[in-house]
Amino acid sequence: VVVYLISTGFYLMSNTYIIIGVSAAGLGVVHTLRKLDAAARIVCISYELEDPYNKCFIVDYLSGAKERSAVLTLTDSVAQSKHIERVLGVRVISIDQSKCQVVCSNGAVFPYTAVCIATGCSPVLPEIAGGGGAQGIFTFYHISDVDSIRAYIAQHNVQEAVVVGAGFTGLEAADGLRAHVPTVSVIERSTHALPHHVDTAGAALIEQYMQKSDVRFYANTSVVQIEQSGGAVKAVILSDGRTILAHLVIYAVGARPHTELASASGILLRDGYIAVDDAMQTSAQGIYAAGDCAVLPRRMRPSFTWPAAMYQGTIAAHSMAGQSKIAVEAPPVISSSFFGIKFASCGVLVPVEPELYTIKITSGTDFYHRLVYKDGFLRGFVLVGNTQLLAQLRRDIH
Ligand SMILES: Cc1cc2nc3c(=O)[nH]c(=O)nc-3n(C[C@H](O)[C@H](O)[C@H](O)COP(=O)(O)OP(=O)(O)OC[C@H]3O[C@@H](n4cnc5c(N)ncnc54)[C@H](O)[C@@H]3O)c2cc1C
């Protein structure tokens, strides 16, 4: 709080913090700022219309294991109780540094003391021949995607679904769909599931569980064409010539960071992400960034995990409130569970210079553990099936 003493008396002027994006990083910022600066005006802005929610649980909302309300984070009543203003369904289009204002797509303008860009990523939409304008094609990234997928399944009595991509979101989407759709197929261009996280042997176990769950898996192939009937998707054609019936298709082929706003505002990027220092400060005075859109020094890319984005939000909040705090990030743990099998990984998974590393693999009928060592120290691990060692290995990692 800045107190101005002028001849007429005291005038109290509170700080105004603007947070762009109300997901993991944005939540980390707003909750921390509220603790650090009780009197501040805190405004969070998101272009999503829906109440903010936790992405880690949208699969449970898709499957029906959780109610929609159970995945929401900053509902109106929570925000009101903490005196946090929510502006939903509105996109921030520029940050005017000379006037210290953020400008929104609806013409609204908000002055700021400090601003945090927590704009995350958007799913990539591949351009596949024949797919233009077809009903029944979705991504699996936002809660609105799940609303649309569930409504479409209910309205069209979908019997066959195809998920394009066998990364984490693809496998989670396929797992969630099983509850509603009898025949679910997953298409993966690479040789195996989770190609960026596990080798073929570890993936084989996941693929076994997929098969046991009646999910069909097609590796080494890709969708080259979409067939429509009456304006809706009917089938997909694979690069190897096979046709798979599909009345619903989910693209899960990756995500791109939202950096247009930063670029338009003259903020420096590095390797496609917003460059920040260890205090989450961007190249622009008073403007911070956190989460999946931002990259820390000495890192090649963001962590892409919920806890890491939230943590960075807390660091950004300290900087915004004028308190110096430095991000000390441990390598993020990626953990999930699909088709009844658990998965966790951390640190170096596929060494760039394999000759410098030693790999220790132990496996059985229902587990696969791959530990990566360098100079006698644990540098990374992948656990499939039995993940009981997770906490211990996490502590041991260097
Ligand atoms: C399906 C799925 C499952 C996942 N499961 C897990 C998991 O189990 N564990 C885990 O650790 N991680 C998981 N993740 C990853 C995790 O959710 C992300 O790392 C995390 O959400 C990143 O948070 P963020 O705040 O940086 O960005 P995001 O979550 O991407 O949110 C960014 C927000 O910014 C808003 N926005 C963007 N541009 C603008 C603009 N110009 N104006 C206004 N608003 C804007 C968007 O509306 C969006 O709401 C999952 C991700 C997905 C998609």
Side-chain angles (χ1 to χ4, degrees):
V1 178
V2 183
V3 180
Y4 288 100
L5 178 63
I6 56 174
S7 56
T8 50
F10 280 102
Y11 286 83
L12 206 60
M13 200 174 93
S14 57
N15 293 315
T16 298
Y17 301 115
I18 306 291
I19 299 94
I20 309 167
V22 200
S23 187
L27 290 172
V29 181
V30 294
H31 289 304
T32 310
L33 273 176
R34 181 41 80 226
K35 285 184 202 146
L36 296 177
D37 190 343
R41 181 182 183 204
I42 299 176
V43 183
C44 51
I45 308 171
S46 171
Y47 70 64
E48 291 184 68
L49 272 169
E50 300 75 19
D51 278 336
Y53 55 91
N54 189 327
K55 281 192 170 66
C56 307
F57 301 125
I58 61 171
V59 62
D60 299 319
Y61 168 47
L62 174 60
S63 69
K66 277 192 199 308
E67 293 289 326
R68 192 179 193 286
S69 57
V71 307
L72 302 181
T73 50
L74 193 68
T75 56
D76 197 29
S77 57
V78 173
Q80 274 186 25
S81 69
K82 299 198 168 196
H83 306 291
I84 294 165
E85 294 173 45
R86 305 181 322 163
V87 180
L88 303 180
V90 171
R91 188 180 287 271
V92 175
I93 51 172
S94 67
I95 304 172
D96 183 337
Q97 293 176 53
S98 61
K99 294 183 183 155
C100 286
Q101 289 178 340
V102 301
V103 182
C104 300
S105 51
N106 63 355
V109 169
F110 294 88
Y112 66 79
T113 313
V115 57
C116 183
I117 305 176
T119 48
C121 294
S122 268
V124 170
L125 270 174
E127 281 191 19
I128 298 181
Q135 284 178 36
I137 299 184
F138 302 92
T139 53
F140 178 63
Y141 209 84
H142 299 115
I143 199 165
S144 55
D145 295 328
V146 182
D147 291 336
S148 306
I149 292 167
R150 287 183 55 142
Y152 194 84
I153 290 171
Q155 283 160 16
H156 296 82
N157 185 25
V158 172
Q159 298 295 306
E160 297 93 6
V162 160
V163 176
V164 186
F168 278 104
T169 48
L171 295 188
E172 288 196 354
D175 197 27
L177 282 176
R178 286 195 301 130
H180 312 284
V181 180
T183 307
V184 178
S185 305
V186 178
I187 317 296
E188 170 57 50
R189 191 168 43 186
S190 172
T191 50
H192 58 279
L194 292 183
H196 301 301
H197 292 89
V198 67
D199 56 11
T200 36
L205 189 57
I206 296 169
E207 291 160 21
Q208 268 175 36
Y209 275 73
M210 233 193 276
Q211 205 175 13
K212 278 189 213 160
S213 307
D214 289 330
V215 171
R216 300 173 186 183
F217 184 57
Y218 299 82
N220 279 315
T221 189
S222 54
V223 175
V224 290
Q225 195 167 342
I226 302 278
E227 289 204 332
Q228 299 191 27
S229 168
V233 61
K234 184 183 81 176
V236 300
I237 299 178
L238 304 184
S239 51
D240 56 23
R242 285 179 285 185
T243 298
I244 301 177
L245 281 184
H247 292 107
L248 182 140
V249 171
I250 294 183
Y251 291 142
V253 294
R256 274 200 203 98
H258 277 294
T259 51
E260 327 73 45
L261 171 63
S263 298
S265 310
I267 293 166
L268 290 184
L269 305 185
R270 178 163 66 80
D271 297 331
Y273 300 95
I274 303 170
V276 289
D277 68 11
D278 290 315
M280 313 315 295
Q281 164 84 57
T282 68
S283 60
Q285 185 73 26
I287 304 180
Y288 302 82
D292 284 4
C293 63
V295 64
L296 282 161
R298 303 174 297 283
R299 289 293 170 97
M300 288 165 71
R301 50 191 211 125
S303 295
F304 297 121
T305 63
W306 186 273
M310 252 190 127
Y311 170 72
Q312 290 182 6
T314 66
I315 301 294
H318 279 83
S319 301
M320 292 166 82
Q323 300 187 14
S324 113
K325 202 166 178 185
I326 295 298
V328 186
E329 275 198 331
V333 172
I334 295 173
S335 69
S336 196
S337 143
F338 14 68
F339 319 113
I341 189 163
K342 289 183 180 166
F343 179 94
S345 68
C346 182
V348 177
L349 307 179
V350 184
V352 183
E353 298 169 291
E355 65 281 2
L356 302 179
Y357 291 79
T358 310
I359 312 282
K360 189 176 153 204
I361 292 173
T362 46
S363 63
T365 49
D366 57 358
F367 77 97
Y368 177 87
H369 292 173
R370 185 175 195 270
L371 275 53
V372 180
Y373 293 90
K374 186 176 176 214
D375 303 328
F377 293 107
L378 182 67
R379 300 302 171 114
F381 60 84
V382 174
L383 307 176
V384 185
N386 182 340
T387 58
Q388 279 174 1
L389 289 173
L390 174 58
Q392 185 200 317
L393 292 174
R394 181 73 192 75
R395 280 193 298 273
D396 291 350
I397 215 162
H398 272 69

PDB file of all heavy atoms in Angstrom, residues 268-289:
ATOM      1  N   LEU A 268      10.561 -10.194 -24.494  1.00  0.00           N
ATOM      2  CA  LEU A 268      11.466 -11.138 -25.161  1.00  0.00           C
ATOM      3  C   LEU A 268      11.052 -12.581 -24.940  1.00  0.00           C
ATOM      4  O   LEU A 268      10.631 -12.974 -23.841  1.00  0.00           O
ATOM      5  CB  LEU A 268      12.896 -10.964 -24.633  1.00  0.00           C
ATOM      6  CG  LEU A 268      13.623  -9.686 -25.026  1.00  0.00           C
ATOM      7  CD1 LEU A 268      15.058  -9.714 -24.500  1.00  0.00           C
ATOM      8  CD2 LEU A 268      13.618  -9.514 -26.557  1.00  0.00           C
ATOM      9  N   LEU A 269      11.194 -13.371 -26.007  1.00  0.00           N
ATOM     10  CA  LEU A 269      10.948 -14.814 -25.928  1.00  0.00           C
ATOM     11  C   LEU A 269      12.287 -15.535 -26.022  1.00  0.00           C
ATOM     12  O   LEU A 269      13.258 -14.990 -26.515  1.00  0.00           O
ATOM     13  CB  LEU A 269      10.056 -15.274 -27.083  1.00  0.00           C
ATOM     14  CG  LEU A 269       8.704 -14.597 -27.294  1.00  0.00           C
ATOM     15  CD1 LEU A 269       7.943 -15.303 -28.414  1.00  0.00           C
ATOM     16  CD2 LEU A 269       7.863 -14.603 -26.022  1.00  0.00           C
ATOM     17  N   ARG A 270      12.292 -16.781 -25.541  1.00  0.00           N
ATOM     18  CA  ARG A 270      13.438 -17.667 -25.783  1.00  0.00           C
ATOM     19  C   ARG A 270      12.912 -19.034 -26.199  1.00  0.00           C
ATOM     20  O   ARG A 270      12.084 -19.602 -25.492  1.00  0.00           O
ATOM     21  CB  ARG A 270      14.305 -17.785 -24.513  1.00  0.00           C
ATOM     22  CG  ARG A 270      15.483 -18.738 -24.716  1.00  0.00           C
ATOM     23  CD  ARG A 270      16.574 -18.568 -23.671  1.00  0.00           C
ATOM     24  NE  ARG A 270      16.176 -18.925 -22.333  1.00  0.00           N
ATOM     25  CZ  ARG A 270      16.116 -20.179 -21.874  1.00  0.00           C
ATOM     26  NH1 ARG A 270      16.398 -21.191 -22.656  1.00  0.00           N
ATOM     27  NH2 ARG A 270      15.758 -20.413 -20.623  1.00  0.00           N
ATOM     28  N   ASP A 271      13.356 -19.500 -27.340  1.00  0.00           N
ATOM     29  CA  ASP A 271      12.916 -20.805 -27.870  1.00  0.00           C
ATOM     30  C   ASP A 271      11.398 -20.943 -27.893  1.00  0.00           C
ATOM     31  O   ASP A 271      10.849 -22.011 -27.593  1.00  0.00           O
ATOM     32  CB  ASP A 271      13.526 -21.957 -27.060  1.00  0.00           C
ATOM     33  CG  ASP A 271      15.037 -21.972 -27.153  1.00  0.00           C
ATOM     34  OD1 ASP A 271      15.565 -21.524 -28.181  1.00  0.00           O
ATOM     35  OD2 ASP A 271      15.685 -22.400 -26.187  1.00  0.00           O
ATOM     36  N   GLY A 272      10.709 -19.835 -28.152  1.00  0.00           N
ATOM     37  CA  GLY A 272       9.250 -19.900 -28.299  1.00  0.00           C
ATOM     38  C   GLY A 272       8.476 -19.684 -27.006  1.00  0.00           C
ATOM     39  O   GLY A 272       7.246 -19.697 -27.011  1.00  0.00           O
ATOM     40  N   TYR A 273       9.171 -19.527 -25.894  1.00  0.00           N
ATOM     41  CA  TYR A 273       8.501 -19.285 -24.603  1.00  0.00           C
ATOM     42  C   TYR A 273       8.908 -17.916 -24.072  1.00  0.00           C
ATOM     43  O   TYR A 273       9.927 -17.356 -24.486  1.00  0.00           O
ATOM     44  CB  TYR A 273       8.903 -20.368 -23.579  1.00  0.00           C
ATOM     45  CG  TYR A 273       8.534 -21.761 -24.027  1.00  0.00           C
ATOM     46  CD1 TYR A 273       9.456 -22.571 -24.671  1.00  0.00           C
ATOM     47  CD2 TYR A 273       7.241 -22.245 -23.840  1.00  0.00           C
ATOM     48  CE1 TYR A 273       9.113 -23.842 -25.114  1.00  0.00           C
ATOM     49  CE2 TYR A 273       6.886 -23.519 -24.279  1.00  0.00           C
ATOM     50  CZ  TYR A 273       7.823 -24.300 -24.914  1.00  0.00           C
ATOM     51  OH  TYR A 273       7.471 -25.549 -25.355  1.00  0.00           O
ATOM     52  N   ILE A 274       8.126 -17.407 -23.117  1.00  0.00           N
ATOM     53  CA  ILE A 274       8.461 -16.094 -22.545  1.00  0.00           C
ATOM     54  C   ILE A 274       9.675 -16.276 -21.625  1.00  0.00           C
ATOM     55  O   ILE A 274       9.634 -17.088 -20.687  1.00  0.00           O
ATOM     56  CB  ILE A 274       7.264 -15.521 -21.751  1.00  0.00           C
ATOM     57  CG1 ILE A 274       6.020 -15.406 -22.647  1.00  0.00           C
ATOM     58  CG2 ILE A 274       7.635 -14.171 -21.149  1.00  0.00           C
ATOM     59  CD1 ILE A 274       4.735 -15.083 -21.892  1.00  0.00           C
ATOM     60  N   ALA A 275      10.734 -15.545 -21.914  1.00  0.00           N
ATOM     61  CA  ALA A 275      11.959 -15.675 -21.108  1.00  0.00           C
ATOM     62  C   ALA A 275      11.772 -14.946 -19.782  1.00  0.00           C
ATOM     63  O   ALA A 275      11.365 -13.779 -19.759  1.00  0.00           O
ATOM     64  CB  ALA A 275      13.136 -15.086 -21.870  1.00  0.00           C
ATOM     65  N   VAL A 276      12.016 -15.655 -18.680  1.00  0.00           N
ATOM     66  CA  VAL A 276      11.934 -15.016 -17.348  1.00  0.00           C
ATOM     67  C   VAL A 276      13.225 -15.277 -16.594  1.00  0.00           C
ATOM     68  O   VAL A 276      13.940 -16.242 -16.889  1.00  0.00           O
ATOM     69  CB  VAL A 276      10.739 -15.558 -16.509  1.00  0.00           C
ATOM     70  CG1 VAL A 276       9.416 -15.088 -17.053  1.00  0.00           C
ATOM     71  CG2 VAL A 276      10.789 -17.077 -16.372  1.00  0.00           C
ATOM     72  N   ASP A 277      13.508 -14.428 -15.595  1.00  0.00           N
ATOM     73  CA  ASP A 277      14.657 -14.710 -14.738  1.00  0.00           C
ATOM     74  C   ASP A 277      14.190 -15.558 -13.550  1.00  0.00           C
ATOM     75  O   ASP A 277      13.027 -15.978 -13.504  1.00  0.00           O
ATOM     76  CB  ASP A 277      15.370 -13.411 -14.320  1.00  0.00           C
ATOM     77  CG  ASP A 277      14.530 -12.541 -13.382  1.00  0.00           C
ATOM     78  OD1 ASP A 277      13.480 -13.019 -12.884  1.00  0.00           O
ATOM     79  OD2 ASP A 277      14.912 -11.387 -13.144  1.00  0.00           O
ATOM     80  N   ASP A 278      15.055 -15.798 -12.591  1.00  0.00           N
ATOM     81  CA  ASP A 278      14.696 -16.702 -11.485  1.00  0.00           C
ATOM     82  C   ASP A 278      13.598 -16.149 -10.584  1.00  0.00           C
ATOM     83  O   ASP A 278      13.065 -16.856  -9.738  1.00  0.00           O
ATOM     84  CB  ASP A 278      15.944 -17.030 -10.655  1.00  0.00           C
ATOM     85  CG  ASP A 278      16.907 -17.918 -11.432  1.00  0.00           C
ATOM     86  OD1 ASP A 278      16.448 -18.890 -12.050  1.00  0.00           O
ATOM     87  OD2 ASP A 278      18.111 -17.612 -11.433  1.00  0.00           O
ATOM     88  N   ALA A 279      13.280 -14.855 -10.744  1.00  0.00           N
ATOM     89  CA  ALA A 279      12.195 -14.256  -9.967  1.00  0.00           C
ATOM     90  C   ALA A 279      10.937 -14.105 -10.828  1.00  0.00           C
ATOM     91  O   ALA A 279      10.009 -13.401 -10.446  1.00  0.00           O
ATOM     92  CB  ALA A 279      12.630 -12.909  -9.407  1.00  0.00           C
ATOM     93  N   MET A 280      10.925 -14.724 -11.995  1.00  0.00           N
ATOM     94  CA  MET A 280       9.803 -14.737 -12.949  1.00  0.00           C
ATOM     95  C   MET A 280       9.581 -13.378 -13.629  1.00  0.00           C
ATOM     96  O   MET A 280       8.538 -13.128 -14.206  1.00  0.00           O
ATOM     97  CB  MET A 280       8.469 -15.203 -12.293  1.00  0.00           C
ATOM     98  CG  MET A 280       8.543 -16.449 -11.452  1.00  0.00           C
ATOM     99  SD  MET A 280       9.458 -17.840 -12.132  1.00  0.00           S
ATOM    100  CE  MET A 280       8.528 -18.291 -13.547  1.00  0.00           C
ATOM    101  N   GLN A 281      10.604 -12.534 -13.568  1.00  0.00           N
ATOM    102  CA  GLN A 281      10.544 -11.219 -14.230  1.00  0.00           C
ATOM    103  C   GLN A 281      10.813 -11.405 -15.727  1.00  0.00           C
ATOM    104  O   GLN A 281      11.747 -12.101 -16.106  1.00  0.00           O
ATOM    105  CB  GLN A 281      11.623 -10.325 -13.602  1.00  0.00           C
ATOM    106  CG  GLN A 281      11.994  -9.087 -14.369  1.00  0.00           C
ATOM    107  CD  GLN A 281      11.042  -7.925 -14.091  1.00  0.00           C
ATOM    108  OE1 GLN A 281      10.870  -7.531 -12.944  1.00  0.00           O
ATOM    109  NE2 GLN A 281      10.424  -7.405 -15.142  1.00  0.00           N
ATOM    110  N   THR A 282       9.974 -10.801 -16.562  1.00  0.00           N
ATOM    111  CA  THR A 282      10.230 -10.832 -18.010  1.00  0.00           C
ATOM    112  C   THR A 282      11.205  -9.712 -18.365  1.00  0.00           C
ATOM    113  O   THR A 282      11.696  -9.006 -17.471  1.00  0.00           O
ATOM    114  CB  THR A 282       8.928 -10.611 -18.810  1.00  0.00           C
ATOM    115  OG1 THR A 282       8.502  -9.259 -18.602  1.00  0.00           O
ATOM    116  CG2 THR A 282       7.823 -11.578 -18.393  1.00  0.00           C
ATOM    117  N   SER A 283      11.396  -9.514 -19.650  1.00  0.00           N
ATOM    118  CA  SER A 283      12.305  -8.432 -20.074  1.00  0.00           C
ATOM    119  C   SER A 283      11.673  -7.064 -19.847  1.00  0.00           C
ATOM    120  O   SER A 283      12.334  -6.045 -20.022  1.00  0.00           O
ATOM    121  CB  SER A 283      12.662  -8.608 -21.554  1.00  0.00           C
ATOM    122  OG  SER A 283      11.482  -8.559 -22.342  1.00  0.00           O
ATOM    123  N   ALA A 284      10.398  -7.009 -19.468  1.00  0.00           N
ATOM    124  CA  ALA A 284       9.717  -5.716 -19.294  1.00  0.00           C
ATOM    125  C   ALA A 284       9.483  -5.424 -17.811  1.00  0.00           C
ATOM    126  O   ALA A 284       9.048  -6.300 -17.050  1.00  0.00           O
ATOM    127  CB  ALA A 284       8.379  -5.727 -20.032  1.00  0.00           C
ATOM    128  N   GLN A 285       9.734  -4.196 -17.452  1.00  0.00           N
ATOM    129  CA  GLN A 285       9.551  -3.740 -16.068  1.00  0.00           C
ATOM    130  C   GLN A 285       8.118  -3.969 -15.595  1.00  0.00           C
ATOM    131  O   GLN A 285       7.178  -3.614 -16.316  1.00  0.00           O
ATOM    132  CB  GLN A 285       9.875  -2.234 -16.057  1.00  0.00           C
ATOM    133  CG  GLN A 285       9.863  -1.577 -14.716  1.00  0.00           C
ATOM    134  CD  GLN A 285      11.099  -1.990 -13.908  1.00  0.00           C
ATOM    135  OE1 GLN A 285      12.134  -2.337 -14.473  1.00  0.00           O
ATOM    136  NE2 GLN A 285      10.968  -1.963 -12.601  1.00  0.00           N
ATOM    137  N   GLY A 286       7.950  -4.559 -14.427  1.00  0.00           N
ATOM    138  CA  GLY A 286       6.608  -4.718 -13.843  1.00  0.00           C
ATOM    139  C   GLY A 286       5.785  -5.831 -14.465  1.00  0.00           C
ATOM    140  O   GLY A 286       4.638  -6.050 -14.091  1.00  0.00           O
ATOM    141  N   ILE A 287       6.362  -6.562 -15.413  1.00  0.00           N
ATOM    142  CA  ILE A 287       5.619  -7.652 -16.066  1.00  0.00           C
ATOM    143  C   ILE A 287       6.335  -8.977 -15.799  1.00  0.00           C
ATOM    144  O   ILE A 287       7.533  -9.116 -16.071  1.00  0.00           O
ATOM    145  CB  ILE A 287       5.465  -7.408 -17.586  1.00  0.00           C
ATOM    146  CG1 ILE A 287       4.796  -6.049 -17.830  1.00  0.00           C
ATOM    147  CG2 ILE A 287       4.664  -8.527 -18.232  1.00  0.00           C
ATOM    148  CD1 ILE A 287       4.602  -5.703 -19.287  1.00  0.00           C
ATOM    149  N   TYR A 288       5.591  -9.912 -15.271  1.00  0.00           N
ATOM    150  CA  TYR A 288       6.128 -11.217 -14.878  1.00  0.00           C
ATOM    151  C   TYR A 288       5.422 -12.285 -15.700  1.00  0.00           C
ATOM    152  O   TYR A 288       4.374 -12.030 -16.315  1.00  0.00           O
ATOM    153  CB  TYR A 288       5.913 -11.432 -13.373  1.00  0.00           C
ATOM    154  CG  TYR A 288       6.579 -10.329 -12.578  1.00  0.00           C
ATOM    155  CD1 TYR A 288       5.947  -9.093 -12.395  1.00  0.00           C
ATOM    156  CD2 TYR A 288       7.866 -10.490 -12.093  1.00  0.00           C
ATOM    157  CE1 TYR A 288       6.582  -8.050 -11.736  1.00  0.00           C
ATOM    158  CE2 TYR A 288       8.514  -9.449 -11.422  1.00  0.00           C
ATOM    159  CZ  TYR A 288       7.864  -8.238 -11.245  1.00  0.00           C
ATOM    160  OH  TYR A 288       8.511  -7.222 -10.603  1.00  0.00           O
ATOM    161  N   ALA A 289       5.968 -13.488 -15.701  1.00  0.00           N
ATOM    162  CA  ALA A 289       5.300 -14.591 -16.401  1.00  0.00           C
ATOM    163  C   ALA A 289       5.573 -15.863 -15.627  1.00  0.00           C
ATOM    164  O   ALA A 289       6.597 -15.986 -14.928  1.00  0.00           O
ATOM    165  CB  ALA A 289       5.797 -14.707 -17.836  1.00  0.00           C
TER     166      ALA A 289
END
